[in-house]
C-alpha cells in the first residue's frame, strides 16, 4: 500500500493530537506532535532565564538554538511518543500552564520556526507520517496527500484542557484557561511568520459536537479514501 503524508492542523486544544496519535497507531505510521517541539524550546528558554518580564531575549535564544536537541521516543507501555529535550524526558513539564502561557511568543520567532520546520521535514522525508500542528499543511508539508484543519469553539476547547489538567492533578481555573486559549488563537492567527490558516486543499473538521470515537472513524475513512484512490 502506498505511503502518504498526513498533515493535521488547527486551533489549540481541539483534539488534534489525540486523533493524529490514534490514526498513526492504527495504520503503523510515525506520529510527530510539532507543538511539543515549540513547547520544548519554550521550556529551555524558561529554564535558562531567557524570559525577562514576559519578554524573550531573542538574540540569546538564537545563539543557543544549536544547543537545543529535541527528540521523540515511543513509550513502550502506551505506544505514545515522549518528548526529550537534550536527552531528558520533558513530556510532563512541557504541558504545564507556565509553558502554555509563554509558547506563542517563542513559536512566533522566525529563527525558531526555521529550525523546527527543517527538523520536521527531515522526520517526514520518507512519508508514512502523521504530523499535527499549525502550519504542517501550509509550510512543512505543502504537498501532503491528506490535510485536515480541525476546529472547535473556544469554550469546548477550554473545557477539554481543563479536564486534561485536572486529570493530571494540575488545578487551574476554567476562566484562566479560556483566556489562554483565546490569546493563543489570536497570536497564532496573527503572527507574521506562518500564521495559522487552513490550507486551500485541507478538509475542515469542526469537532465541537463529535466524540473521540466518531472523529476517529471519520479520519480513518479519509485515509482509506486517499490510499485506495
Ligand atoms: O498544539 P500545542 O498547543 O501543543 O502548540 C503549542 C504552541 O506552539 C501553540 O501556541 C502554537 C505553536 N505551534 C506552532 O506555532 N506551529 C506548530 N506547527 C505547532 C505548534
Amino acid at each position: 500500500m502506498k505511503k502518504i503524508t498526513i498533515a493535521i492542523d488547527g486551533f489549540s486544544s481541539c483534539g488534534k493530537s489525540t486523533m493524529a496519535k490514534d490514526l498513526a497507531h492504527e495504520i503503523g505510521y510515525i506520529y510527530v506532535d510539532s507543538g511539543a517541539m515549540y513547547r520544548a524550546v519554550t521550556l529551555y528558554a524558561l529554564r535558562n532565564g531567557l524570559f525577562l518580564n514576559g519578554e524573550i531575549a531573542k538574540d540569546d535564544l538564537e545563539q543557543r538554538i544549536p544547543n537545543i536537541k529535541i527528540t521523540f521516543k515511543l513509550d513502550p507501555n502506551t505506544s505514545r511518543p515522549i518528548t526529550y529535550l537534550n536527552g531528558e524526558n520533558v513530556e510532563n513539564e512541557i504541558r504545564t500552564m507556565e509553558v502554555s502561557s509563554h509558547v506563542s511568543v517563542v513559536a512566533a520567532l522566525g529563527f525558531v520556526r526555521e529550525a523546527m520546520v527543517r527538523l520536521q521535514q527531515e522526520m517526514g522525508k520518507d512519508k508514512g507520517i502523521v504530523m499535527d500542528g499549525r502550519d504542517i499543511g501550509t509550510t512543512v508539508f505543502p504537498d501532503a496527500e491528506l490535510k485536515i484543519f480541525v476546529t472547535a469553539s473556544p469554550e469546548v476547547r477550554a473545557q477539554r484542557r481543563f479536564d486534561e489538567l485536572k486529570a493530571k492533578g494540575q488545578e487551574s481555573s476554567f476562566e484562566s484557561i479560556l483566556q489562554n486559549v483565546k490569546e493563543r488563537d489570536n497570536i497564532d492567527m496573527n503572527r507574521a511568520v506562518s500564521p495559522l490558516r487552513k490550507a486551500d486543499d485541507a478538509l475542515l473538521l469542526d469537532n465541537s459536537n463529535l466524540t473521540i470515537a466518531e472523529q476517529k472513524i471519520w479520519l480513518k475513512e479519509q485515509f482509506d479514501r486517499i490510499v485506495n484512490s
Side-chain angles (χ1 to χ4, degrees):
M1 197 192 280
K2 71 176 175 189
K3 271 191 187 176
I4 65 166
T5 301
I6 303 171
I8 302 188
D9 290 304
F11 291 94
S12 64
S13 305
C14 62
K16 297 185 300 291
S17 304
T18 306
M19 67 193 279
K21 253 183 251 178
D22 286 351
L23 178 69
H25 186 61
E26 188 175 350
I27 63 180
Y29 276 26
I30 296 168
Y31 163 68
V32 175
D33 170 2
S34 67
M37 299 166 75
Y38 293 98
R39 287 173 177 273
V41 177
T42 306
L43 179 63
Y44 178 95
L46 284 165
R47 282 180 171 179
N48 287 275
L50 302 185
F51 276 100
L52 286 175
N53 304 321
E55 294 271 316
I56 179 90
K58 283 185 211 158
D59 296 345
D60 207 349
L61 180 61
E62 187 164 9
Q63 278 185 359
R64 292 170 186 239
I65 280 282
N67 307 334
I68 306 178
K69 300 270 178 282
I70 299 164
T71 48
F72 296 97
K73 275 187 213 159
L74 271 195
D75 181 333
N77 298 318
T78 61
S79 304
R80 304 246 145 154
I82 300 173
T83 312
Y84 285 77
L85 170 61
N86 292 332
E88 177 193 346
N89 177 343
V90 291
E91 187 55 36
N92 288 331
E93 236 181 306
I94 61 170
R95 312 282 168 196
T96 59
M97 277 298 279
E98 198 194 8
V99 170
S100 295
S101 57
H102 288 85
V103 64
S104 293
V105 176
V106 171
L109 297 171
F111 65 86
V112 171
R113 303 205 70 85
E114 270 170 37
M116 295 304 116
V117 169
R118 219 177 300 126
L119 202 58
Q120 290 153 8
Q121 289 174 336
E122 177 63 27
M123 289 170 171
K125 68 181 189 320
D126 297 327
K127 295 187 178 269
I129 190 165
V130 184
M131 192 176 290
D132 75 43
R134 305 291 188 286
D135 60 341
I136 311 306
T138 52
T139 306
V140 181
F141 301 128
D143 298 328
E145 291 85 349
L146 178 56
K147 296 182 187 178
I148 314 285
F149 190 87
V150 196
T151 183
S153 73
E155 288 73 17
V156 165
R157 291 185 283 130
Q159 187 64 48
R160 289 176 185 163
R161 179 68 44 120
F162 177 83
D163 294 343
E164 211 175 277
L165 289 171
K166 196 171 168 194
K168 286 185 192 161
Q170 296 172 17
E171 292 285 335
S172 203
S173 83
F174 175 79
E175 281 309 317
S176 70
I177 295 175
L178 181 60
Q179 198 188 342
N180 177 254
V181 163
K182 287 182 176 170
E183 268 168 20
R184 284 204 291 154
D185 285 359
N186 202 20
I187 300 179
D188 288 350
M189 285 188 296
N190 293 304
R191 69 179 170 222
V193 197
S194 290
L196 171 65
R197 67 170 184 85
K198 177 184 164 302
D200 293 338
D201 53 350
L203 304 171
L204 183 68
L205 172 68
D206 182 335
N207 68 9
S208 302
N209 298 309
L210 288 185
T211 63
I212 290 177
E214 283 167 341
Q215 72 174 8
K216 188 176 169 175
I217 293 169
W218 178 85
L219 184 59
K220 179 67 168 42
E221 279 169 5
Q222 307 313 313
F223 170 76
D224 289 339
R225 185 174 51 78
I226 303 278
V227 290
N228 295 321
S229 64

